[in-house]
DNA sequence: CTATATATTGAATAAATACTCAGATATTTC
DNA sequence: GAAATATCTGAGTATTTATTCAATATATAG
């Protein structure tokens, strides 16, 4: 028309929240998505449901997130950050007492912690949500970091620390996950099993 | 109309294949679905794709399967049957040589087998396809059976065989799965790790 | 051969849901 | 307080995909 000043908003804005109001909106969207994921799993996580539970409109969701997976990105990042905090804490404890027993004890305690905080969310993120390549890489990187730290801590105690570290870390992770997070009928209590796991791993590093 | 003899086919037939032709159709549909699942995962498994790859029309799929999940049912059943065959074989070997070492050896070898046959399919079925309650129960039942057999085999050797059996079975399953099936960058070869796992488990049952 | 049961087809339907956009409303800036 | 910027709305669009069904073809029985 004659109106030459028509403002063309870019097709897909995806703004960064500037004002307090919008920052709250972003948070409320993330919380909503996290709860849906935790309570009802990936299958129930659709953008309309996220908006509804957050008490905002779908449009707002797409104002701050280019697509659904970008929401997962943030949720995953925050979850991994918690895990990394536990790792860093563990690393500092080990540097004070670098015995093989301590490594095992910290590892098991750390993974119990990771799997106890929000088990449902952890389950959703680790075996329900289909992670894309980049997301899987981030998860793998955390795992690699734990293995490397463990390997370094073991290097003065055992031969072939890389192999031992891989086994220790994967065993602690996989078994605490299965007993604390998966809802399989475990015939023995998770606590007993965690202790037993620690015994087994200790025996393994001390003997080998 | 005046035609009182109009045949009303039931709304949803879901026939059982009677003739050779249709039995082949059923098989070809199952093979198609299995390949798609194995090669491209759950996300790529839709009924139209199944029909296309099978070289039949979608209608034929629904002639023999009430819905998509019923196809998974059969694929899962067949996969679990293979696992149970390995279990039964293991149980018979153990009955010949009921030593604790043999139990560990058979367990690790068995899970390596389960995870080596068609790793991609196993991965899809165990962590990609969203199993419904009944399907998950069937999987859990197989796990329980393995634990019970292991527990029985250990009962003359160790104290608290149930706990030990749970740990052995879950460790063998989870770790072979991670190393053979998941595509995480394992810093050590799967073979080395399987051996090491067997060493660790042997040490554990023999010492405890 | 004809009738009847069995098998196959694939376009059409229906439902779910990711994502858009044009038009409000609110906040900040000057 | 008016213009500019930021935020919000939610009905509407587009796409995907599970499922149906009326028409058609093949096999078997009498």
């Amino acid at each position: 028309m004659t109106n030459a000043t028509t403002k063309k908003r870019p097709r897909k804005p995806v703004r960064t929240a500037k004002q307090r109001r919008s920052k709250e909106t972003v948070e409320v969207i993330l919380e909503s998505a996290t709860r849906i994921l935790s309570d009802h799993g990936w299958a129930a996580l659709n953008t309309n449901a996220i908006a509804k539970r957050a008490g905002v409109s779908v449009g707002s969701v797409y104002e701050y997130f280019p697509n659904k997976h970008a929401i997962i990105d943030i949720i995953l990042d925050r979850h991994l950050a918690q895990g990394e905090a536990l790792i860093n804490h563990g690393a500092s404890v080990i540097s004070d007492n670098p015995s093989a027993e301590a490594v095992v004890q910290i590892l098991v305690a750390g993974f119990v912690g990771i799997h106890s905080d929000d088990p449902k969310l952890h389950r959703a993120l680790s075996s329900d949500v289909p992670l894309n390549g980049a997301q899987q890489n981030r998860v793998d990187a955390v795992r690699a970091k734990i293995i490397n730290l463990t390997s370094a801590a073991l290097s003065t105690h055992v031969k072939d620390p890389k192999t031992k570290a891989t086994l220790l870390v994967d065993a602690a992770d996989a078994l605490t996950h299965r007993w604390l997070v998966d809802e399989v009928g475990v015939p023995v209590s998770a606590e007993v099993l965690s202790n037993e796991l620690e015994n087994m791993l200790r025996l393994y590093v001390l003997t080998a």
Side-chain angles (χ1 to χ4, degrees), chain A:
Chain A
M1 302 290 278
T2 58
N3 183 0
T5 60
T6 307
K7 303 287 164 41
K8 297 175 196 164
R9 254 201 336 196
R11 281 253 144 200
K12 188 185 277 189
V14 183
R15 301 166 179 278
T16 347
K18 308 246 172 190
Q19 308 178 350
R20 179 168 3 181
R21 180 166 59 130
S22 53
K23 282 178 183 165
E24 280 171 14
T25 298
V26 168
E27 282 311 311
V28 110
I29 289 168
L30 287 169
E31 279 161 27
S32 163
T34 303
R35 286 222 190 92
I36 292 173
L37 209 48
S38 181
D39 292 347
H40 307 287
W42 168 252
L45 191 79
N46 62 268
T47 51
N48 296 295
I50 294 170
K52 192 170 190 179
R53 199 189 213 290
V56 301
S57 80
V58 231
S60 285
V61 173
Y62 283 92
E63 200 74 24
Y64 301 106
F65 299 94
N67 52 54
K68 200 170 91 166
H69 245 78
I71 301 175
I72 295 291
D73 258 352
I74 308 295
I75 294 175
L76 181 65
D77 270 345
R78 293 185 178 183
H79 186 72
L80 289 180
Q82 286 190 8
E84 294 214 84
L86 275 174
I87 296 168
N88 293 332
H89 174 258
S92 78
V93 171
I94 292 299
S95 72
D96 291 346
N97 172 20
S99 72
E101 285 111 318
V103 171
V104 168
Q105 198 249 310
I106 292 292
L107 266 184
V108 174
F111 278 109
V112 168
I114 287 174
H115 291 107
S116 299
D117 175 45
D118 189 345
K120 295 277 199 64
L121 178 63
H122 184 84
R123 179 183 169 68
L125 288 175
S126 60
S127 54
D128 195 10
V129 174
L131 301 181
N132 64 31
Q135 292 168 336
Q136 189 58 55
N137 285 344
R138 272 185 284 149
V139 173
D140 291 348
V142 173
R143 172 174 176 269
K145 183 176 175 182
I146 302 177
I147 290 180
N148 285 335
L149 282 171
T150 304
S151 177
L154 290 179
S155 60
T156 56
H157 300 293
V158 303
K159 214 172 44 171
D160 197 359
K162 197 104 205 163
T163 300
K164 304 247 182 304
T166 302
L167 199 149
L168 289 184
V169 171
D170 284 344
D173 183 11
L175 296 178
T176 55
H177 184 99
R178 182 159 277 183
W179 299 331
L180 297 170
V181 175
D182 285 349
E183 283 163 351
V184 265
V186 183
V188 182
S189 89
E191 208 184 334
V192 168
L193 285 168
S194 298
N195 285 332
E196 194 71 2
L197 169 63
E198 197 178 324
N199 289 339
M200 179 176 77
L201 297 183
R202 185 187 308 112
L203 187 62
Y204 171 64
V205 277
L206 292 184
T207 310

